[in-house]
Amino acid sequence: MRAFRKIFRLMSLGIMLVILAVVGYNIAMRYMYPLKMTSYVEKYSRDFGIDRETVYAVIKCESNFDPDAVSSAGAVGLMQITEETFYDVGILLEDEDHTFESHATDPEINIRYGTRYLKFLLDFFDGDKTAAIAAYNGGMGNVSDWMNGSSELDTESIEFRETKSYVKRVLAAEKHYKTLYD
């Protein structure tokens, strides 16, 4: 009877440790891949027909959810939008009342514009998410060159190390968001 109790206690302890490890892992992953600015991400991903996980992944990789982030190239905000892209997207949205200087770091406007730009890129590259994400970072012309007439972009054909790394990080983050929050 003592041996049975000892085995039962060890098994119980083992099960509890496994449960604790799984719960701890999920808590840690949710900390690393948070859902922030949810009302804006949900609204604009739905409005523009983009997976919300893709938008979260781009924000995570671009600014780590810092609305005041500024890149060395002058891109600003959560989705790191450049001045030129800001005004181009403003034309697409028929929303030319906003100025880059005053509105580009506003979380709602930044997410709206960044998500609309992603939609534009997805449409331009016929739904090829890898190409759209690469173009978000490395430019449409470069991605078109890397595709070399192909209908889909192969990650290995991306010639810029930064862009290749960026695409891999965004796609990995997107998978984490889908796994953690689906």
Side-chain angles (χ1 to χ4, degrees):
M1 190 58 128
R2 279 188 166 170
F4 175 75
R5 284 188 194 150
K6 188 174 183 178
I7 291 171
F8 180 76
R9 282 187 201 142
L10 286 173
M11 287 179 60
S12 297
L13 180 62
I15 290 169
M16 287 176 26
L17 287 173
V18 168
I19 291 170
L20 184 60
V22 169
V23 170
Y25 174 80
N26 282 332
I27 290 170
M29 290 301 288
R30 284 176 184 245
Y31 178 78
M32 290 172 51
Y33 295 93
L35 295 180
K36 294 183 179 182
M37 311 291 174
T38 55
S39 61
Y40 304 140
V41 172
E42 299 289 331
K43 177 181 179 10
Y44 295 116
S45 62
R46 185 177 49 252
D47 287 356
F48 299 125
I50 297 177
D51 291 338
R52 67 187 182 119
E53 296 86 0
T54 305
V55 177
Y56 282 120
V58 168
I59 294 172
K60 168 73 177 158
C61 294
E62 286 287 351
S63 69
N64 201 25
F65 294 93
D66 177 3
D68 298 317
V70 179
S71 77
S72 59
V76 301
L78 293 162
M79 296 187 76
Q80 293 291 282
I81 299 173
T82 63
E83 186 171 5
E84 180 181 4
T85 299
F86 184 87
Y87 288 116
D88 288 346
V89 173
I91 292 168
L92 285 174
L93 291 169
E94 298 177 2
D95 182 14
E96 298 175 54
D97 295 334
H98 295 104
T99 63
F100 181 78
E101 295 77 17
S102 300
H103 300 98
T105 58
D106 176 278
E108 180 175 13
I109 293 170
N110 193 276
I111 291 171
R112 179 176 178 226
Y113 278 51
T115 305
R116 180 60 182 95
Y117 185 51
L118 270 174
K119 174 64 174 165
F120 170 79
L121 293 171
L122 280 165
D123 289 346
F124 185 85
F125 290 107
D126 296 322
D128 182 351
K129 191 178 290 185
T130 302
I133 292 168
Y136 196 93
N137 178 268
M140 293 169 54
N142 290 320
V143 172
S144 294
D145 290 345
W146 299 332
M147 291 177 76
N148 196 24
S150 176
S151 62
E152 290 185 356
L153 178 65
D154 175 17
T155 307
E156 295 308 311
S157 67
I158 298 173
E159 295 178 17
F160 298 163
R161 186 176 347 164
E162 176 190 333
T163 301
K164 185 184 291 191
S165 172
Y166 174 79
V167 168
K168 289 178 180 181
R169 284 192 335 269
V170 170
L171 293 175
E174 180 187 51
K175 284 182 185 177
H176 287 303
Y177 276 105
K178 285 183 179 188
T179 301
L180 291 168
Y181 299 106
D182 249 0

